[in-house]
Coordinates of all heavy atoms in Angstrom, one line a residue:
M24 N 0.8 -1.2 0.0 CA 0.0 0.0 0.0 C 0.9 1.3 0.0 O 0.5 2.3 0.6 CB -0.9 0.0 1.2 CG -2.0 -1.0 1.2 SD -3.3 -0.5 2.3 CE -4.5 -1.6 1.8
T25 N 2.0 1.2 -0.6 CA 2.8 2.4 -0.7 C 2.3 3.4 -1.7 O 1.7 3.0 -2.7 CB 4.3 2.0 -1.1 OG1 4.2 1.3 -2.3 CG2 4.9 1.1 0.0
G26 N 2.5 4.6 -1.4 CA 2.0 5.7 -2.3 C 0.6 6.1 -2.1 O 0.1 7.1 -2.7
E27 N -0.2 5.4 -1.3 CA -1.5 5.8 -1.0 C -1.6 6.8 0.2 O -0.8 6.7 1.1 CB -2.4 4.6 -0.6 CG -2.7 3.6 -1.7 CD -3.6 2.5 -1.3 OE1 -4.4 2.7 -0.4 OE2 -3.5 1.4 -1.9
T28 N -2.5 7.7 0.1 CA -2.7 8.6 1.2 C -4.0 8.3 1.9 O -5.0 8.0 1.3 CB -2.7 10.1 0.7 OG1 -3.7 10.2 -0.2 CG2 -1.4 10.5 0.1
T29 N -4.0 8.4 3.2 CA -5.2 8.2 4.0 C -5.8 9.5 4.3 O -5.2 10.4 4.8 CB -4.8 7.5 5.3 OG1 -4.1 6.3 5.0 CG2 -6.0 7.1 6.1
V30 N -7.1 9.6 3.9 CA -7.9 10.8 4.2 C -8.5 10.6 5.6 O -9.3 9.7 5.8 CB -9.0 11.1 3.2 CG1 -9.8 12.3 3.5 CG2 -8.3 11.3 1.8
Q31 N -8.1 11.5 6.5 CA -8.6 11.4 7.9 C -9.9 12.2 8.0 O -9.9 13.4 7.6 CB -7.6 11.9 8.8 CG -8.0 11.9 10.3 CD -8.1 10.5 10.9 OE1 -7.5 9.6 10.4 NE2 -8.9 10.4 11.9
A32 N -11.0 11.6 8.5 CA -12.2 12.3 8.7 C -12.0 13.4 9.7 O -11.3 13.3 10.7 CB -13.3 11.4 9.1
K33 N -12.7 14.5 9.5 CA -12.6 15.7 10.4 C -13.9 16.1 10.9 O -15.0 15.8 10.3 CB -12.0 16.9 9.6 CG -10.7 16.7 8.9 CD -9.6 16.6 10.0 CE -8.2 16.5 9.3 NZ -7.2 16.4 10.3
D34 N -13.9 16.7 12.1 CA -15.1 17.3 12.7 C -14.9 18.8 12.7 O -13.8 19.3 12.9 CB -15.2 16.9 14.2 CG -15.5 15.4 14.3 OD1 -15.9 14.7 13.3 OD2 -15.4 14.9 15.4
V35 N -16.0 19.5 12.5 CA -16.0 21.0 12.5 C -16.7 21.4 13.7 O -17.9 21.2 13.9 CB -16.7 21.6 11.2 CG1 -16.7 23.1 11.3 CG2 -16.0 21.1 9.9
V36 N -15.9 22.1 14.6 CA -16.5 22.5 15.9 C -16.5 24.0 16.0 O -15.4 24.7 15.9 CB -15.6 21.9 17.1 CG1 -16.1 22.3 18.4 CG2 -15.5 20.4 16.9
V37 N -17.6 24.6 16.3 CA -17.7 26.0 16.6 C -17.4 26.2 18.1 O -18.1 25.7 18.9 CB -19.2 26.6 16.3 CG1 -19.3 28.0 16.7 CG2 -19.4 26.4 14.8
R38 N -16.3 27.0 18.3 CA -15.9 27.2 19.7 C -16.6 28.4 20.3 O -16.9 28.5 21.5 CB -14.4 27.5 19.8 CG -13.5 26.4 19.2 CD -13.7 25.0 19.9 NE -13.0 25.1 21.2 CZ -13.2 24.2 22.1 NH1 -13.9 23.1 21.8 NH2 -12.6 24.3 23.2
D39 N -16.9 29.4 19.4 CA -17.6 30.7 19.9 C -18.3 31.3 18.7 O -17.7 31.3 17.6 CB -16.6 31.6 20.5 CG -17.2 32.9 21.0 OD1 -18.1 32.8 21.9 OD2 -16.9 34.0 20.5
A40 N -19.5 31.8 18.9 CA -20.3 32.3 17.8 C -19.9 33.8 17.5 O -20.3 34.3 16.5 CB -21.7 32.2 18.1
G41 N -19.0 34.4 18.3 CA -18.6 35.8 18.0 C -19.7 36.8 18.2 O -20.6 36.6 19.0
K42 N -19.6 37.9 17.5 CA -20.5 39.0 17.8 C -21.9 38.9 17.1 O -22.8 39.6 17.4 CB -19.9 40.3 17.3 CG -18.7 40.7 18.1 CD -18.1 42.0 17.7 CE -16.8 42.3 18.5 NZ -16.2 43.6 18.1
D43 N -22.0 38.0 16.1 CA -23.2 37.8 15.4 C -23.7 36.3 15.3 O -23.6 35.7 14.3 CB -23.1 38.4 13.9 CG -24.4 38.5 13.2 OD1 -25.4 38.2 13.8 OD2 -24.3 39.0 12.1
P44 N -24.2 35.8 16.4 CA -24.6 34.4 16.5 C -25.7 34.1 15.5 O -25.8 33.0 15.0 CB -25.2 34.2 17.9 CG -24.6 35.4 18.7 CD -24.4 36.5 17.7
A45 N -26.5 35.1 15.1 CA -27.6 34.8 14.1 C -27.0 34.5 12.7 O -27.4 33.6 12.0 CB -28.5 36.0 14.0
A46 N -25.9 35.2 12.4 CA -25.2 34.9 11.1 C -24.6 33.6 11.1 O -24.6 32.8 10.1 CB -24.2 36.0 10.8
V47 N -24.0 33.2 12.2 CA -23.3 31.9 12.4 C -24.4 30.8 12.3 O -24.2 29.8 11.6 CB -22.5 31.8 13.7 CG1 -22.0 30.4 13.9 CG2 -21.4 32.8 13.7
A48 N -25.5 31.0 13.0 CA -26.6 30.0 12.9 C -27.1 29.9 11.5 O -27.4 28.7 11.1 CB -27.8 30.5 13.8
E49 N -27.2 30.9 10.7 CA -27.6 30.8 9.3 C -26.7 30.0 8.5 O -27.1 29.2 7.7 CB -27.8 32.2 8.7 CG -28.3 32.2 7.3 CD -29.7 31.5 7.1 OE1 -30.5 31.5 8.0 OE2 -29.9 30.9 6.0
V50 N -25.4 30.2 8.7 CA -24.4 29.4 8.0 C -24.5 27.9 8.4 O -24.5 27.0 7.5 CB -23.0 29.9 8.2 CG1 -21.9 29.0 7.6 CG2 -22.8 31.3 7.6
V51 N -24.7 27.7 9.7 CA -24.8 26.3 10.2 C -26.1 25.7 9.6 O -26.0 24.5 9.1 CB -24.9 26.3 11.7 CG1 -25.3 24.9 12.2 CG2 -23.5 26.7 12.3
R52 N -27.2 26.4 9.5 CA -28.4 25.9 8.9 C -28.2 25.5 7.5 O -28.6 24.4 7.0 CB -29.5 27.0 9.0 CG -30.9 26.4 8.5 CD -31.8 27.6 8.1 NE -31.2 28.3 7.0 CZ -31.1 28.0 5.7 NH1 -31.5 26.8 5.3 NH2 -30.6 28.8 4.8
A53 N -27.5 26.4 6.7 CA -27.2 26.1 5.3 C -26.3 24.9 5.1 O -26.5 24.1 4.2 CB -26.6 27.3 4.7
M54 N -25.4 24.7 6.0 CA -24.4 23.6 5.8 C -24.9 22.3 6.4 O -24.3 21.3 6.1 CB -23.0 24.0 6.3 CG -22.9 24.3 7.7 SD -21.3 25.0 8.1 CE -20.7 23.9 9.3
T55 N -25.9 22.3 7.2 CA -26.4 21.1 7.8 C -27.8 20.6 7.3 O -28.1 19.5 7.5 CB -26.4 21.2 9.3 OG1 -27.3 22.2 9.7 CG2 -25.0 21.4 9.9
G56 N -28.6 21.6 6.9 CA -30.0 21.3 6.5 C -30.9 21.3 7.7 O -32.1 20.9 7.5
I57 N -30.5 21.7 8.9 CA -31.4 21.7 10.0 C -32.2 23.0 9.9 O -31.9 23.9 9.2 CB -30.6 21.6 11.3 CG1 -29.7 22.8 11.5 CG2 -29.9 20.2 11.4 CD1 -28.9 22.7 12.9
T58 N -33.3 23.1 10.7 CA -34.1 24.3 10.7 C -33.4 25.4 11.4 O -32.4 25.3 12.1 CB -35.4 24.0 11.5 OG1 -35.1 23.9 12.9 CG2 -36.2 22.8 11.0
A59 N -33.9 26.6 11.1 CA -33.3 27.8 11.7 C -33.3 27.8 13.2 O -32.3 28.2 13.9 CB -34.0 29.1 11.2
A60 N -34.4 27.3 13.8 CA -34.5 27.2 15.2 C -33.5 26.2 15.8 O -32.9 26.5 16.8 CB -35.9 26.8 15.6
E61 N -33.3 25.1 15.1 CA -32.4 24.1 15.6 C -30.9 24.6 15.5 O -30.1 24.4 16.4 CB -32.5 22.8 14.7 CG -33.8 22.1 15.0 CD -34.0 20.9 14.0 OE1 -33.6 21.1 12.8 OE2 -34.6 19.9 14.4
A62 N -30.6 25.4 14.4 CA -29.3 26.0 14.3 C -29.0 27.0 15.4 O -28.0 27.0 16.0 CB -29.2 26.6 12.9
K63 N -30.0 27.8 15.7 CA -29.9 28.8 16.7 C -29.6 28.1 18.1 O -28.8 28.6 18.8 CB -31.2 29.7 16.8 CG -31.1 30.8 17.8 CD -32.3 31.6 17.8 CE -32.3 32.7 18.8 NZ -33.5 33.5 18.9
Q64 N -30.4 27.1 18.3 CA -30.2 26.4 19.6 C -28.8 25.7 19.7 O -28.2 25.7 20.7 CB -31.3 25.3 19.7 CG -31.3 24.6 21.1 CD -32.4 23.6 21.2 OE1 -33.1 23.3 20.2 NE2 -32.6 23.0 22.4
L65 N -28.4 25.1 18.6 CA -27.1 24.5 18.5 C -26.0 25.5 18.8 O -25.1 25.3 19.6 CB -26.9 23.8 17.2 CG -25.5 23.1 17.0 CD1 -25.4 21.9 17.9 CD2 -25.4 22.6 15.5
I66 N -26.0 26.7 18.2 CA -25.0 27.7 18.3 C -25.1 28.3 19.8 O -24.0 28.7 20.3 CB -25.2 28.8 17.3 CG1 -24.9 28.3 15.9 CG2 -24.3 30.0 17.6 CD1 -23.5 27.6 15.8
A67 N -26.2 28.2 20.4 CA -26.3 28.7 21.8 C -25.6 27.8 22.8 O -25.3 28.2 23.9 CB -27.8 28.8 22.2
T68 N -25.2 26.6 22.3 CA -24.6 25.7 23.2 C -23.1 25.5 22.9 O -22.6 24.4 23.1 CB -25.3 24.3 23.2 OG1 -25.2 23.8 21.9 CG2 -26.7 24.4 23.6
T69 N -22.5 26.5 22.3 CA -21.0 26.4 21.9 C -20.2 26.1 23.2 O -20.5 26.5 24.3 CB -20.5 27.6 21.3 OG1 -20.7 28.7 22.1 CG2 -21.2 27.9 19.9
P70 N -19.1 25.3 23.0 CA -18.7 24.7 21.8 C -19.5 23.5 21.3 O -20.1 22.8 22.1 CB -17.3 24.2 22.1 CG -17.3 23.9 23.6 CD -18.3 24.9 24.1
C71 N -19.7 23.4 20.0 CA -20.6 22.4 19.5 C -20.0 21.9 18.1 O -19.5 22.7 17.4 CB -22.0 22.9 19.3 SG -22.1 24.3 18.2
T72 N -20.2 20.6 17.9 CA -19.8 20.0 16.6 C -20.9 20.2 15.6 O -22.1 19.8 15.9 CB -19.5 18.5 16.8 OG1 -18.4 18.4 17.7 CG2 -19.1 17.9 15.4
V73 N -20.6 20.9 14.5 CA -21.7 21.2 13.5 C -21.7 20.2 12.4 O -22.7 20.0 11.7 CB -21.6 22.7 13.1 CG1 -22.0 23.6 14.2 CG2 -20.3 23.0 12.5
R74 N -20.5 19.7 12.1 CA -20.4 18.6 11.1 C -19.3 17.6 11.6 O -18.3 18.0 12.1 CB -20.0 19.1 9.7 CG -21.0 19.9 9.0 CD -22.2 19.2 8.4 NE -21.9 18.1 7.5 CZ -21.9 18.2 6.2 NH1 -22.2 19.3 5.6 NH2 -21.6 17.1 5.5
A75 N -19.6 16.3 11.4 CA -18.7 15.3 11.9 C -18.4 14.4 10.7 O -19.2 14.2 9.8 CB -19.3 14.5 13.0
R76 N -17.2 13.8 10.8 CA -16.7 12.9 9.8 C -16.8 13.4 8.3 O -17.3 12.7 7.5 CB -17.5 11.6 9.9 CG -17.2 10.8 11.2 CD -17.9 9.5 11.2 NE -17.7 8.9 12.5 CZ -18.1 7.6 12.8 NH1 -18.8 7.0 11.9 NH2 -17.8 7.1 13.9
V77 N -16.3 14.6 8.1 CA -16.3 15.1 6.8 C -14.8 15.1 6.2 O -13.9 14.9 7.0 CB -16.8 16.5 6.7 CG1 -18.3 16.6 7.1 CG2 -16.0 17.5 7.5
S78 N -14.7 15.2 4.9 CA -13.3 15.2 4.3 C -12.6 16.5 4.8 O -13.2 17.5 5.1 CB -13.4 15.2 2.8 OG -13.9 16.5 2.4
P79 N -11.3 16.4 4.8 CA -10.5 17.6 5.2 C -10.8 18.8 4.3 O -10.9 19.9 4.9 CB -9.0 17.1 5.0 CG -9.1 15.6 5.2 CD -10.4 15.2 4.6
A80 N -11.0 18.6 3.0 CA -11.3 19.7 2.2 C -12.6 20.4 2.5 O -12.7 21.6 2.6 CB -11.3 19.3 0.7
L81 N -13.6 19.6 2.8 CA -14.9 20.1 3.1 C -14.9 20.8 4.5 O -15.4 21.8 4.7 CB -16.0 19.0 3.1 CG -17.4 19.4 3.6 CD1 -17.9 20.5 2.6 CD2 -18.3 18.2 3.5
A82 N -14.1 20.2 5.4 CA -14.0 20.8 6.7 C -13.4 22.2 6.6 O -13.8 23.1 7.3 CB -13.2 19.9 7.7
E83 N -12.3 22.3 5.8 CA -11.7 23.6 5.7 C -12.6 24.6 5.0 O -12.6 25.8 5.3 CB -10.4 23.5 4.9 CG -9.3 22.9 5.8 CD -9.0 23.7 7.1 OE1 -9.0 24.9 7.0 OE2 -8.8 23.1 8.1
A84 N -13.4 24.2 4.0 CA -14.3 25.1 3.3 C -15.4 25.5 4.3 O -15.8 26.7 4.3 CB -15.0 24.3 2.2
L85 N -15.9 24.6 5.1 CA -16.9 25.0 6.1 C -16.3 26.0 7.2 O -17.0 26.9 7.6 CB -17.5 23.8 6.8 CG -18.3 22.8 5.9 CD1 -18.7 21.6 6.6 CD2 -19.5 23.5 5.3
R86 N -15.1 25.7 7.6 CA -14.4 26.5 8.6 C -14.3 28.0 8.0 O -14.6 28.9 8.7 CB -13.0 26.0 8.9 CG -12.3 26.8 10.0 CD -10.8 26.5 10.1 NE -10.1 26.8 8.9 CZ -9.7 28.1 8.6 NH1 -10.1 29.1 9.4 NH2 -9.1 28.4 7.5
G87 N -13.9 28.1 6.7 CA -13.8 29.4 6.1 C -15.1 30.1 6.1 O -15.1 31.3 6.4
K88 N -16.2 29.5 5.8 CA -17.5 30.1 5.8 C -17.9 30.6 7.2 O -18.5 31.7 7.3 CB -18.6 29.2 5.3 CG -18.5 28.9 3.8 CD -19.6 27.9 3.3 CE -19.4 27.6 1.9 NZ -20.4 26.7 1.4
L89 N -17.6 29.8 8.2 CA -18.0 30.2 9.6 C -17.1 31.3 10.1 O -17.6 32.3 10.7 CB -17.9 29.0 10.5 CG -19.0 27.9 10.3 CD1 -18.6 26.6 10.9 CD2 -20.3 28.4 10.8
V90 N -15.8 31.3 9.8 CA -14.9 32.3 10.2 C -15.3 33.6 9.5 O -15.2 34.7 10.1 CB -13.4 31.9 9.9 CG1 -12.5 33.1 10.0 CG2 -13.0 30.8 10.8
A91 N -15.7 33.6 8.3 CA -16.1 34.8 7.5 C -17.3 35.5 8.2 O -17.4 36.8 8.1 CB -16.5 34.4 6.1
V92 N -18.1 34.8 9.0 CA -19.2 35.5 9.7 C -18.9 35.7 11.2 O -19.7 36.1 12.0 CB -20.6 34.8 9.5 CG1 -21.0 34.8 8.1 CG2 -20.5 33.4 10.1
G93 N -17.6 35.5 11.6 CA -17.2 35.9 12.9 C -17.1 34.8 13.9 O -16.8 35.0 15.1
A94 N -17.3 33.5 13.5 CA -17.2 32.4 14.5 C -15.7 32.0 14.7 O -14.9 32.2 13.8 CB -18.0 31.2 13.9
S95 N -15.5 31.5 15.9 CA -14.2 30.9 16.2 C -14.4 29.4 16.0 O -15.3 28.8 16.6 CB -13.8 31.1 17.7 OG -12.7 30.4 18.0
V96 N -13.6 28.8 15.1 CA -13.9 27.4 14.6 C -12.6 26.5 14.8 O -11.5 27.0 14.5 CB -14.3 27.4 13.2 CG1 -14.7 26.0 12.7 CG2 -15.6 28.3 13.0
E97 N -12.8 25.3 15.1 CA -11.8 24.3 15.2 C -12.1 23.2 14.3 O -13.2 22.7 14.3 CB -11.6 23.8 16.7 CG -10.6 22.8 16.9 CD -10.6 22.2 18.3 OE1 -11.3 22.7 19.2 OE2 -9.8 21.3 18.5
V98 N -11.1 22.8 13.5 CA -11.2 21.6 12.7 C -10.3 20.5 13.3 O -9.1 20.8 13.5 CB -10.8 21.8 11.2 CG1 -10.8 20.5 10.4 CG2 -11.8 22.8 10.6
R99 N -10.9 19.4 13.7 CA -10.0 18.4 14.4 C -10.3 17.0 13.8 O -11.4 16.8 13.3 CB -10.2 18.4 15.9 CG -11.6 18.2 16.3 CD -11.7 18.1 17.9 NE -13.0 18.5 18.3 CZ -13.3 18.7 19.6 NH1 -12.4 18.6 20.5 NH2 -14.5 19.1 19.9
G100 N -9.4 16.1 14.0 CA -9.5 14.8 13.5 C -10.7 14.1 14.2 O -10.9 14.3 15.4
H101 N -11.5 13.4 13.5 CA -12.6 12.7 14.1 C -12.1 11.6 15.0 O -11.3 10.8 14.6 CB -13.6 12.2 13.1 CG -14.7 11.4 13.7 ND1 -15.8 12.1 14.3 CD2 -15.0 10.1 13.8 CE1 -16.6 11.2 14.7 NE2 -16.2 10.0 14.5
G102 N -12.7 11.5 16.2 CA -12.4 10.4 17.0 C -13.0 10.6 18.4 O -13.2 11.7 18.8
A103 N -13.2 9.5 19.1 CA -13.9 9.6 20.4 C -12.9 9.6 21.5 O -13.3 9.6 22.7 CB -14.8 8.4 20.6
T104 N -11.6 9.8 21.3 CA -10.6 9.8 22.4 C -10.9 10.8 23.4 O -11.0 10.4 24.6 CB -9.2 10.0 21.8 OG1 -9.0 9.0 20.7 CG2 -8.2 9.8 22.8
E105 N -11.1 12.1 23.1 CA -11.3 13.1 24.1 C -12.6 12.9 24.8 O -12.7 12.9 26.0 CB -11.4 14.5 23.4 CG -10.1 15.2 23.4 CD -10.2 16.6 23.0 OE1 -11.3 17.2 23.2 OE2 -9.2 17.1 22.5
E106 N -13.7 12.6 24.1 CA -15.0 12.3 24.7 C -14.9 11.1 25.6 O -15.5 11.2 26.7 CB -16.1 12.2 23.7 CG -16.4 13.4 22.9 CD -15.5 13.6 21.7 OE1 -14.6 12.8 21.4 OE2 -15.6 14.6 21.0
L107 N -14.3 10.1 25.2 CA -14.2 8.9 26.1 C -13.4 9.2 27.3 O -13.7 8.8 28.4 CB -13.5 7.8 25.3 CG -13.3 6.4 26.1 CD1 -14.6 5.9 26.5 CD2 -12.6 5.4 25.2
F108 N -12.3 10.0 27.2 CA -11.5 10.4 28.3 C -12.4 11.2 29.3 O -12.3 10.9 30.5 CB -10.3 11.2 27.8 CG -9.4 11.6 28.9 CD1 -8.6 10.7 29.6 CD2 -9.3 13.0 29.3 CE1 -7.7 11.1 30.6 CE2 -8.4 13.4 30.3 CZ -7.6 12.4 30.9
D109 N -13.2 12.1 28.8 CA -14.1 12.9 29.7 C -15.1 12.0 30.4 O -15.4 12.2 31.6 CB -14.8 14.0 28.9 CG -13.9 15.1 28.5 OD1 -12.8 15.3 29.1 OD2 -14.2 15.9 27.6
V110 N -15.6 11.0 29.7 CA -16.6 10.1 30.3 C -15.9 9.3 31.4 O -16.5 9.2 32.5 CB -17.2 9.2 29.3 CG1 -18.0 8.1 29.9 CG2 -18.1 10.0 28.3
V111 N -14.7 8.9 31.2 CA -14.0 8.1 32.2 C -13.7 9.0 33.4 O -13.9 8.6 34.6 CB -12.7 7.5 31.6 CG1 -11.8 6.9 32.8 CG2 -13.0 6.4 30.6
L112 N -13.3 10.2 33.2 CA -13.1 11.1 34.3 C -14.3 11.4 35.1 O -14.3 11.4 36.3 CB -12.5 12.5 33.8 CG -11.0 12.4 33.3 CD1 -10.7 13.8 32.7 CD2 -10.1 12.0 34.4
Q113 N -15.4 11.6 34.4 CA -16.7 11.8 35.1 C -17.1 10.6 36.0 O -17.6 10.7 37.1 CB -17.8 12.1 34.2 CG -17.7 13.5 33.5 CD -18.7 13.8 32.4 OE1 -19.6 12.9 32.2 NE2 -18.6 14.9 31.8
A114 N -16.8 9.4 35.4 CA -17.2 8.2 36.1 C -16.4 8.0 37.4 O -16.9 7.5 38.4 CB -17.0 7.0 35.2
I115 N -15.2 8.5 37.4 CA -14.4 8.4 38.6 C -14.4 9.6 39.5 O -13.7 9.7 40.5 CB -12.9 8.0 38.3 CG1 -12.2 9.1 37.5 CG2 -12.9 6.6 37.6 CD1 -10.7 8.8 37.4
G116 N -15.2 10.6 39.1 CA -15.4 11.8 39.9 C -14.2 12.8 39.8 O -14.0 13.6 40.6
A117 N -13.5 12.8 38.7 CA -12.4 13.7 38.5 C -12.7 14.6 37.3 O -13.7 14.6 36.7 CB -11.1 12.9 38.2
S118 N -11.8 15.6 37.1 CA -11.9 16.5 36.0 C -10.5 16.7 35.3 O -9.5 16.3 35.9 CB -12.5 17.8 36.4 OG -11.6 18.5 37.2
R119 N -10.5 17.4 34.2 CA -9.3 17.7 33.5 C -8.4 18.7 34.2 O -7.3 18.9 33.9 CB -9.6 18.2 32.1 CG -10.0 17.1 31.1 CD -10.1 17.7 29.8 NE -10.6 16.7 28.9 CZ -10.0 16.4 27.8 NH1 -8.9 17.0 27.4 NH2 -10.5 15.5 27.0
A120 N -9.0 19.5 35.1 CA -8.3 20.6 35.7 C -6.8 20.4 35.8 O -5.9 20.8 35.3 CB -8.8 20.8 37.1

């Protein structure tokens, strides 16, 4: 399998909606197909994953659209490692502090 490249799935996470959450919600609505009310509710709970398991190229395109309307966005490799770690910490009564 030499010469092949592996495309790693990415998650697009809105860390902060910035000064215009309505504009960010509209972009999220357009890129996910959810209703305007659902997008507004999702953005109200930042940080939030707005798209999961997308190609790196699509993730960067979506990040660009969100940043253009003032959002703080993180594109990260898809995986449950962090979430699993948090669940384990909660189960034992600890935190990341």
Side-chain angles (χ1 to χ4, degrees):
M24 293 201 166
T25 57
E27 289 184 28
T28 57
T29 303
V30 175
Q31 180 69 25
K33 301 289 183 182
D34 293 346
V35 180
V36 180
V37 174
R38 304 297 289 167
D39 182 61
K42 294 181 181 180
D43 193 359
V47 175
E49 182 57 29
V50 171
V51 169
R52 185 204 60 75
M54 63 192 236
T55 60
I57 62 178
T58 67
E61 291 169 329
K63 183 179 175 182
Q64 183 178 12
L65 181 63
I66 292 305
T68 63
T69 57
C71 59
T72 301
V73 293
R74 289 290 302 263
R76 294 183 180 184
V77 297
S78 71
L81 178 57
E83 285 303 318
L85 297 173
R86 185 192 67 74
K88 289 179 182 181
L89 289 162
V90 168
V92 294
S95 173
V96 182
E97 176 185 355
V98 173
R99 60 177 153 188
H101 177 76
T104 306
E105 267 191 26
E106 292 84 2
L107 180 58
F108 183 69
D109 288 341
V110 169
V111 170
L112 287 175
Q113 289 174 2
I115 62 172
S118 68
R119 284 184 184 237

